[in-house]
Amino acid sequence: MSLKYALLGFLNYKSMTGYQLKQVFDESVRNFWHASLSQIYPTLSHMKDDGLLTLEVKYQDSSPNAKIYHITDSGRAELQNWLIEPMEPAQHRNAFLIKIFFGANIDKALIISQLNHRLELAENNLSKYQQIRSKMTENHFSENALTLFESLTVDFGIKNMEAVIAWYKESIEKIESIK
Amino acid sequence: MSLKYALLGFLNYKSMTGYQLKQVFDESVRNFWHASLSQIYPTLSHMKDDGLLTLEVKYQDSSPNAKIYHITDSGRAELQNWLIEPMEPAQHRNAFLIKIFFGANIDKALIISQLNHRLELAENNLSKYQQIRSKMTENHFSENALTLFESLTVDFGIKNMEAVIAWYKESIEKIESIK
DNA sequence: CGCTACATGTAATGAGTTACATGATTTT
DNA sequence: AAAATCATGTAACTCATTACATGTAGCG
């Protein structure tokens, strides 16, 4: 369960509500980690039970009471341990490659159009990531440890999109050239 | 549930037992899809209930009876539909990038050693994939539609490993250069 | 008048992992 | 004698998605 560690990471920077954590997720790590509110809320509550967080309730008239979570020493230790301890690379499943693997079963034009669709999406993603990266450079991001690491995750996205874009293009050509 | 479609894909080529399907998986698509026997068996049984497969029991003395599954017309149609219909790209989670994102919280040497470990693994994977690819070329693979698609999945793995290897190397350099 | 933001959850379902259970035959 | 191969499963658990449920305030 890495959601736990991502939550600890953000709460280590600043105490927040589940709702705010969702926003922070969506602004920063959405491209490689996403979590819904209906997953965040019970996870926070469970982490509180485990002593990783404490809860401060802020009473409000207009909205339901906001539950502000604070990281505890125990939570900080848990985060540290997770960051320090090496973990084996996850074996990602790729359903699209299953489709490609069995691609000979359908008309090649139908595969090519799916590849083209994904090529377009990947090109959009790439330019989105490149824009994020440019802004980081403008803002003198990645000149200190704190921001360097954030910029590396964007670089990962860029490298990845470049690789899949090249693969989409080559694959389309190869499939077109076969009789 | 893509396991279902992967099973249909293989059973479309040849009728098999769950045990044999596991072997076929491990020999061909393991690098982008893996399934355990304890997941395959109930899935096959469920697919049979749904009319996608029929069951032929082969009585044996030495081992438990082998259950050979055959794809039905309905199963073939389901496979076709899935192959034809476009699907949105999955949003993969990457726990390691979460670690990198919060990397400033720990000693940089501990991050670098994790990056180096993964770099080594990725280089091993790359050469493994390249060997598979060479054998395919030797065997005149990828000269017809049936084998071309299989070779494309290997090319994907190669492109991907090359990209992450470059990222690992750049990241290590950047982290080392920061004070 | 409807949409978005704020703010919280529960319940059901699906997908996958890990542990447990059985047992003969063949290979090292 | 131990390990691998053949061959089947069940049960408990984790992680994540989707649907459902509630309600105010402010903006256009």
Side-chain angles (χ1 to χ4, degrees), chain B residues 88-99:
Chain B
E88 287 314 292
Q91 288 171 46
H92 294 290
R93 283 181 172 79
N94 189 332
F96 189 65
L97 287 184
I98 291 286
K99 252 194 194 194

Side-chain angles (χ1 to χ4, degrees), chain A residues 93-105:
Chain A
R93 284 182 172 78
N94 189 330
F96 189 65
L97 287 185
I98 291 285
K99 253 195 192 191
I100 294 297
F101 189 84
F102 293 114
N105 291 284

Side-chain angles (χ1 to χ4, degrees), chain A residues 6-19:
Chain A
L7 293 170
L8 286 174
F10 285 116
L11 290 174
N12 188 36
Y13 290 153
K14 191 170 176 279
S15 295
M16 275 180 275
T17 66
Y19 191 86

Side-chain angles (χ1 to χ4, degrees), chain B residues 28-177:
Chain B
S28 59
V29 299
R30 173 182 42 187
N31 294 310
F32 51 93
W33 205 276
H34 46 104
S36 59
L37 282 169
S38 62
Q39 196 196 356
I40 290 172
Y41 289 133
T43 303
L44 287 169
S45 153
H46 187 247
M47 288 164 72
K48 194 204 72 179
D49 293 344
D50 290 349
L52 306 174
L53 306 176
T54 55
L55 173 58
E56 173 202 350
V57 180
K58 199 178 150 198
Y59 295 94
Q60 294 179 141
D61 288 335
S62 57
S63 320
N65 298 327
K67 295 187 169 180
I68 302 164
Y69 287 95
H70 305 268
I71 193 167
T72 63
D73 287 343
S74 163
R76 243 177 283 269
E78 184 112 350
L79 174 62
Q80 284 287 314
N81 287 339
W82 181 74
L83 289 172
I84 284 165
E85 131 201 320
M87 58 182 182
E88 287 314 292
Q91 288 171 46
H92 294 290
R93 283 181 172 79
N94 189 332
F96 189 65
L97 287 184
I98 291 286
K99 252 194 194 194
I100 294 296
F101 189 85
F102 293 113
N105 291 284
I106 62 164
D107 183 8
K108 70 179 198 181
L110 291 171
I111 298 270
I112 289 171
S113 77
Q114 290 187 57
L115 284 162
N116 268 318
H117 173 60
R118 276 170 183 254
L119 172 58
E120 217 177 291
L121 294 175
E123 279 170 341
N124 290 343
N125 278 339
L126 177 59
S127 68
K128 195 176 75 185
Y129 295 164
Q130 281 167 339
Q131 275 170 33
I132 295 172
R133 196 62 178 81
S134 302
K135 263 177 211 152
M136 285 182 162
T137 313
E138 276 171 39
N139 299 332
H140 307 285
F141 235 79
S142 82
E143 284 172 12
N144 61 68
L146 199 74
T147 55
L148 168 67
F149 288 102
E150 296 186 29
S151 76
L152 289 180
T153 64
V154 181
D155 291 341
F156 184 93
I158 291 172
K159 281 251 178 334
N160 225 263
M161 284 303 121
E162 286 171 346
V164 298
I165 285 168
W167 180 77
Y168 288 139
K169 287 181 177 169
E170 279 181 27
S171 298
I172 290 166
E173 268 183 50
K174 284 180 186 167
I175 296 169
E176 271 171 351
S177 72

Side-chain angles (χ1 to χ4, degrees), chain A residues 23-160:
Chain A
Q23 292 176 315
V24 169
F25 261 69
D26 287 348
E27 283 160 20
S28 58
V29 298
R30 174 181 41 187
N31 294 309
F32 51 92
W33 205 275
H34 47 104
S36 59
L37 282 169
S38 61
Q39 196 196 356
I40 290 172
Y41 289 133
T43 303
L44 287 169
S45 154
H46 186 246
M47 287 163 73
K48 195 204 72 180
D49 294 344
D50 289 349
L52 306 174
L53 307 176
T54 55
L55 173 58
E56 172 201 351
V57 180
K58 199 179 150 196
Y59 295 94
Q60 293 179 142
D61 288 335
S62 56
S63 318
N65 298 328
K67 296 188 169 179
I68 302 165
Y69 286 96
H70 305 269
I71 194 168
T72 63
D73 286 344
S74 162
R76 244 177 283 267
E78 184 112 350
L79 174 62
Q80 285 286 316
N81 287 339
W82 181 74
L83 289 172
I84 283 165
E85 131 201 318
M87 58 184 181
E88 287 315 290
Q91 289 170 45
H92 295 289
R93 284 182 172 78
N94 189 330
F96 189 65
L97 287 185
I98 291 285
K99 253 195 192 191
I100 294 297
F101 189 84
F102 293 114
N105 291 284
I106 62 165
D107 182 9
K108 70 180 199 180
L110 291 170
I111 298 268
I112 289 172
S113 78
Q114 290 187 56
L115 283 162
N116 268 318
H117 173 60
R118 276 169 184 253
L119 172 59
E120 217 178 291
L121 293 175
E123 279 170 341
N124 290 343
N125 278 339
L126 176 59
S127 69
K128 194 175 76 184
Y129 296 164
Q130 281 168 338
Q131 274 170 34
I132 295 172
R133 197 62 178 80
S134 301
K135 262 177 211 152
M136 284 182 163
T137 313
E138 276 171 38
N139 298 333
H140 306 286
F141 234 78
S142 82
E143 284 172 12
N144 61 68
L146 198 74
T147 56
L148 168 67
F149 288 103
E150 296 186 29
S151 76
L152 289 181
T153 64
V154 182
D155 291 341
F156 184 94
I158 291 172
K159 280 253 177 336
N160 225 264

